[in-house]
Coordinates of all heavy atoms in Angstrom, one line a residue:
L1 N 18.3 5.0 5.2 CA 17.9 4.0 4.1 C 16.7 4.6 3.3 O 16.5 4.1 2.2 CB 17.5 2.7 4.7 CG 18.6 2.0 5.6 CD1 18.0 0.7 6.1 CD2 19.9 1.7 4.8
E2 N 16.0 5.5 3.8 CA 14.8 6.0 3.2 C 15.1 7.2 2.3 O 14.2 7.6 1.5 CB 13.7 6.4 4.2 CG 13.4 5.2 5.1 CD 12.5 5.7 6.3 OE1 11.4 6.3 6.0 OE2 12.8 5.5 7.5
T3 N 16.3 7.8 2.4 CA 16.5 9.0 1.6 C 16.9 8.6 0.1 O 17.4 7.6 -0.2 CB 17.7 9.7 2.2 OG1 18.9 8.9 2.1 CG2 17.5 10.1 3.7
E4 N 16.5 9.6 -0.7 CA 16.7 9.3 -2.2 C 18.2 9.2 -2.6 O 18.5 8.4 -3.4 CB 16.0 10.5 -3.0 CG 16.1 10.3 -4.5 CD 15.3 11.4 -5.2 OE1 14.6 12.2 -4.5 OE2 15.4 11.4 -6.5
L5 N 19.0 10.1 -1.9 CA 20.4 10.0 -2.2 C 21.1 8.7 -1.9 O 21.8 8.1 -2.7 CB 21.1 11.2 -1.5 CG 21.1 12.6 -2.1 CD1 21.7 13.6 -1.1 CD2 21.8 12.6 -3.4
F6 N 20.7 8.2 -0.7 CA 21.3 6.9 -0.3 C 20.7 5.8 -1.2 O 21.5 4.8 -1.5 CB 21.0 6.6 1.2 CG 21.8 5.4 1.7 CD1 23.1 5.6 2.1 CD2 21.3 4.2 1.7 CE1 23.9 4.5 2.5 CE2 22.0 3.1 2.1 CZ 23.3 3.3 2.5
R7 N 19.5 5.9 -1.6 CA 18.9 4.8 -2.4 C 19.6 4.8 -3.8 O 19.8 3.8 -4.4 CB 17.4 4.9 -2.5 CG 16.7 4.6 -1.2 CD 15.3 4.2 -1.4 NE 14.8 3.5 -0.2 CZ 13.7 2.8 -0.1 NH1 13.0 2.6 -1.3 NH2 13.3 2.2 1.0
D8 N 19.9 6.0 -4.3 CA 20.6 6.1 -5.6 C 21.9 5.4 -5.5 O 22.4 4.7 -6.4 CB 20.7 7.5 -6.0 CG 19.4 8.2 -6.4 OD1 18.5 7.4 -6.7 OD2 19.4 9.4 -6.5
F9 N 22.6 5.6 -4.4 CA 23.9 5.0 -4.1 C 23.7 3.4 -4.1 O 24.5 2.7 -4.7 CB 24.5 5.5 -2.9 CG 25.5 4.6 -2.2 CD1 26.8 4.4 -2.7 CD2 25.1 3.8 -1.1 CE1 27.7 3.6 -2.1 CE2 26.0 2.9 -0.5 CZ 27.3 2.8 -1.0
A10 N 22.7 3.0 -3.3 CA 22.5 1.6 -3.1 C 22.2 0.8 -4.4 O 22.5 -0.4 -4.5 CB 21.4 1.4 -2.0
K11 N 21.5 1.5 -5.3 CA 21.2 0.8 -6.6 C 22.4 0.5 -7.4 O 22.5 -0.5 -8.1 CB 20.3 1.7 -7.4 CG 18.8 1.7 -7.1 CD 18.0 2.3 -8.1 CE 18.3 3.8 -8.3 NZ 17.3 4.5 -9.2
E12 N 23.5 1.3 -7.2 CA 24.7 1.1 -8.0 C 25.8 0.3 -7.2 O 26.6 -0.3 -7.8 CB 25.3 2.4 -8.4 CG 24.3 3.3 -9.1 CD 24.9 4.7 -9.2 OE1 26.0 5.0 -8.7 OE2 24.2 5.6 -9.8
A13 N 25.7 0.4 -5.9 CA 26.8 -0.2 -5.1 C 26.7 -1.7 -5.0 O 25.7 -2.3 -5.0 CB 26.7 0.3 -3.6
P14 N 27.9 -2.4 -5.0 CA 27.9 -3.9 -4.9 C 27.7 -4.3 -3.5 O 28.7 -4.7 -2.8 CB 29.3 -4.2 -5.4 CG 30.2 -3.0 -5.1 CD 29.3 -1.8 -5.1
I15 N 26.5 -4.3 -3.0 CA 26.2 -4.7 -1.6 C 26.0 -6.2 -1.5 O 25.1 -6.8 -2.1 CB 24.9 -4.0 -1.1 CG1 25.1 -2.5 -1.2 CG2 24.6 -4.4 0.3 CD1 23.8 -1.7 -0.9
S16 N 26.9 -6.9 -0.8 CA 26.9 -8.3 -0.7 C 26.2 -8.8 0.6 O 25.7 -9.9 0.6 CB 28.3 -8.9 -0.8 OG 29.1 -8.3 0.2
M17 N 26.1 -8.0 1.6 CA 25.5 -8.4 2.8 C 25.0 -7.1 3.5 O 25.5 -6.0 3.5 CB 26.5 -9.1 3.7 CG 26.0 -9.5 5.1 SD 27.1 -10.6 6.0 CE 28.4 -9.5 6.4
V18 N 23.8 -7.3 4.2 CA 23.3 -6.3 5.1 C 23.2 -6.9 6.5 O 22.6 -8.0 6.7 CB 21.9 -5.9 4.7 CG1 21.2 -5.0 5.7 CG2 21.9 -5.1 3.3
A19 N 23.9 -6.3 7.5 CA 23.9 -6.8 8.9 C 23.0 -5.8 9.7 O 23.3 -4.6 9.7 CB 25.3 -6.8 9.4
V20 N 22.0 -6.3 10.4 CA 21.1 -5.5 11.2 C 21.6 -5.7 12.6 O 21.3 -6.7 13.3 CB 19.7 -5.9 11.0 CG1 18.8 -5.0 11.9 CG2 19.3 -5.9 9.6
D21 N 22.3 -4.7 13.1 CA 22.8 -4.7 14.5 C 21.7 -4.2 15.5 O 20.8 -3.4 15.1 CB 24.0 -3.8 14.7 CG 24.9 -4.2 15.9 OD1 24.6 -5.3 16.5 OD2 25.8 -3.5 16.2
E22 N 21.7 -4.7 16.7 CA 20.6 -4.4 17.7 C 19.3 -4.6 17.1 O 18.4 -3.8 17.1 CB 20.8 -2.9 18.1 CG 22.1 -2.6 18.7 CD 22.6 -3.3 19.9 OE1 21.7 -3.9 20.6 OE2 23.8 -3.4 20.1
A23 N 19.1 -5.9 16.5 CA 17.9 -6.2 15.7 C 16.6 -6.1 16.6 O 15.5 -6.1 16.0 CB 18.1 -7.6 15.1
H24 N 16.7 -6.2 17.9 CA 15.5 -6.1 18.7 C 14.7 -4.8 18.5 O 13.6 -4.7 18.8 CB 15.8 -6.3 20.2 CG 16.7 -5.3 20.7 ND1 18.1 -5.4 20.7 CD2 16.5 -4.1 21.3 CE1 18.6 -4.3 21.2 NE2 17.7 -3.5 21.6
C25 N 15.4 -3.8 18.0 CA 14.8 -2.5 17.7 C 13.7 -2.5 16.7 O 12.9 -1.6 16.5 CB 15.9 -1.4 17.3 SG 17.1 -1.0 18.5
I26 N 13.7 -3.7 15.9 CA 12.6 -3.8 14.9 C 11.3 -4.2 15.4 O 10.3 -4.2 14.7 CB 13.1 -4.8 13.8 CG1 12.4 -4.5 12.4 CG2 12.9 -6.2 14.2 CD1 13.0 -5.3 11.3
S27 N 11.3 -4.7 16.6 CA 10.1 -5.3 17.2 C 9.4 -4.3 18.2 O 10.0 -3.7 19.1 CB 10.4 -6.6 18.0 OG 9.3 -7.1 18.7
Q28 N 8.1 -4.2 18.0 CA 7.3 -3.3 18.9 C 7.3 -3.9 20.3 O 7.0 -3.3 21.3 CB 5.9 -3.1 18.4 CG 5.1 -4.4 18.4 CD 3.7 -4.1 17.9 OE1 3.3 -2.9 17.8 NE2 2.9 -5.1 17.7
W29 N 7.7 -5.2 20.4 CA 7.7 -5.9 21.7 C 9.1 -5.8 22.4 O 9.3 -6.3 23.4 CB 7.3 -7.4 21.6 CG 6.1 -7.6 20.8 CD1 5.9 -8.2 19.6 CD2 4.7 -7.2 21.2 NE1 4.6 -8.1 19.1 CE2 3.9 -7.5 20.1 CE3 4.2 -6.5 22.3 CZ2 2.5 -7.3 20.1 CZ3 2.8 -6.2 22.3 CH2 2.0 -6.6 21.2
G30 N 10.0 -5.2 21.6 CA 11.4 -5.1 22.1 C 11.5 -3.9 23.0 O 10.7 -3.0 23.1
Q31 N 12.7 -3.8 23.7 CA 12.9 -2.7 24.7 C 13.3 -1.4 24.1 O 13.2 -0.4 24.7 CB 13.9 -3.2 25.8 CG 15.3 -3.3 25.3 CD 15.7 -4.6 24.8 OE1 14.9 -5.4 24.3 NE2 17.0 -5.0 24.9
D32 N 13.7 -1.4 22.8 CA 14.2 -0.2 22.2 C 13.6 0.0 20.8 O 14.3 0.3 19.8 CB 15.8 -0.2 22.1 CG 16.4 -0.2 23.4 OD1 16.1 0.6 24.3 OD2 17.3 -1.1 23.6
F33 N 12.3 -0.1 20.7 CA 11.6 -0.1 19.4 C 11.9 1.2 18.7 O 11.8 2.3 19.2 CB 10.1 -0.3 19.6 CG 9.3 -0.2 18.4 CD1 9.6 -1.0 17.3 CD2 8.3 0.8 18.2 CE1 8.9 -0.9 16.1 CE2 7.6 0.9 17.1 CZ 7.8 0.0 16.0
R34 N 12.4 1.0 17.4 CA 12.6 2.1 16.5 C 11.8 1.9 15.2 O 12.0 1.0 14.5 CB 14.1 2.2 16.1 CG 15.1 2.6 17.2 CD 15.2 4.1 17.3 NE 15.9 4.6 16.2 CZ 17.2 4.8 16.2 NH1 18.0 4.5 17.2 NH2 17.8 5.4 15.1
P35 N 10.8 2.8 15.0 CA 9.9 2.6 13.8 C 10.7 2.6 12.5 O 10.3 1.9 11.6 CB 9.1 3.9 13.9 CG 9.0 4.3 15.3 CD 10.4 3.9 15.9
S36 N 11.9 3.3 12.4 CA 12.7 3.3 11.2 C 13.2 1.9 10.9 O 13.5 1.5 9.7 CB 13.8 4.2 11.3 OG 14.6 4.0 12.5
Y37 N 13.4 1.0 11.9 CA 13.8 -0.3 11.7 C 12.8 -1.2 10.9 O 13.2 -2.1 10.2 CB 14.1 -1.0 13.0 CG 15.6 -1.0 13.4 CD1 16.3 0.2 13.7 CD2 16.3 -2.2 13.5 CE1 17.6 0.2 14.1 CE2 17.7 -2.2 13.9 CZ 18.3 -1.0 14.1 OH 19.6 -1.0 14.5
T38 N 11.5 -0.8 11.1 CA 10.5 -1.6 10.4 C 10.5 -1.4 8.9 O 9.9 -2.2 8.2 CB 9.1 -1.2 11.0 OG1 8.8 0.1 10.7 CG2 9.0 -1.5 12.5
R39 N 11.2 -0.4 8.5 CA 11.3 -0.1 7.0 C 12.5 -0.7 6.4 O 12.8 -0.4 5.2 CB 11.2 1.4 6.8 CG 9.8 1.9 7.2 CD 9.6 3.4 6.9 NE 10.2 4.3 7.9 CZ 9.7 4.7 9.0 NH1 8.5 4.2 9.4 NH2 10.3 5.5 9.8
I40 N 13.3 -1.4 7.1 CA 14.5 -2.1 6.5 C 14.1 -3.1 5.4 O 14.7 -3.2 4.4 CB 15.3 -2.8 7.6 CG1 15.9 -1.8 8.6 CG2 16.4 -3.7 7.0 CD1 16.6 -2.4 9.8
L41 N 13.0 -3.8 5.6 CA 12.5 -4.7 4.6 C 12.2 -4.0 3.3 O 12.5 -4.5 2.2 CB 11.3 -5.5 5.1 CG 10.6 -6.5 4.2 CD1 11.6 -7.6 3.8 CD2 9.4 -7.1 4.7
D42 N 11.6 -2.9 3.4 CA 11.3 -2.1 2.2 C 12.6 -1.8 1.4 O 12.6 -1.8 0.2 CB 10.5 -0.8 2.6 CG 10.2 0.1 1.3 OD1 9.5 -0.4 0.5 OD2 10.7 1.2 1.3
F43 N 13.6 -1.4 2.2 CA 14.9 -1.1 1.5 C 15.5 -2.4 0.9 O 16.0 -2.3 -0.3 CB 15.9 -0.6 2.6 CG 17.3 -0.4 2.1 CD1 17.6 0.6 1.3 CD2 18.3 -1.4 2.4 CE1 18.9 0.8 0.8 CE2 19.6 -1.2 2.0 CZ 19.9 -0.1 1.2
L44 N 15.4 -3.5 1.5 CA 15.9 -4.8 1.0 C 15.2 -5.1 -0.3 O 15.8 -5.6 -1.3 CB 15.8 -5.9 2.0 CG 16.6 -5.8 3.2 CD1 16.3 -7.0 4.2 CD2 18.1 -5.9 2.9
E45 N 13.9 -4.9 -0.3 CA 13.1 -5.2 -1.5 C 13.4 -4.2 -2.7 O 13.2 -4.5 -3.8 CB 11.6 -5.2 -1.2 CG 11.2 -6.3 -0.3 CD 9.7 -6.2 0.2 OE1 9.2 -5.1 0.1 OE2 9.2 -7.2 0.6
F46 N 13.8 -3.0 -2.3 CA 14.2 -2.0 -3.3 C 15.5 -2.3 -4.0 O 15.6 -2.0 -5.2 CB 14.3 -0.6 -2.6 CG 15.0 0.4 -3.4 CD1 14.4 1.2 -4.4 CD2 16.4 0.7 -3.2 CE1 15.1 2.1 -5.1 CE2 17.1 1.6 -3.9 CZ 16.4 2.3 -4.9
L47 N 16.4 -3.0 -3.4 CA 17.7 -3.3 -4.0 C 17.5 -4.2 -5.3 O 16.6 -5.1 -5.3 CB 18.6 -4.0 -3.0 CG 19.0 -3.2 -1.8 CD1 19.8 -4.1 -0.8 CD2 19.8 -2.0 -2.2

């Protein structure tokens, strides 16, 4: 989601829904914390 190529695609694509699977990865209190998940909000705001 952070790459320029994918963001160029996302600006043009008709994205109607974003589904975040294994959403516990976004939380530092979760068992599988992934820092990249914390930047999903930035992607949503970019659209």
Side-chain angles (χ1 to χ4, degrees):
L1 304 178
E2 303 171 54
T3 65
E4 185 177 351
L5 279 173
F6 190 83
R7 289 203 166 197
D8 287 343
F9 157 78
K11 279 194 298 187
E12 304 170 0
I15 299 172
S16 56
M17 179 170 66
V18 171
V20 182
D21 203 8
E22 307 298 339
H24 60 271
C25 295
I26 205 171
S27 173
Q28 65 178 351
W29 312 112
Q31 70 270 29
D32 297 308
F33 175 56
R34 289 274 291 268
S36 55
Y37 262 66
T38 62
R39 294 185 280 278
I40 294 174
L41 178 61
D42 179 62
F43 173 76
L44 293 173
E45 292 174 341
F46 163 81
L47 295 174

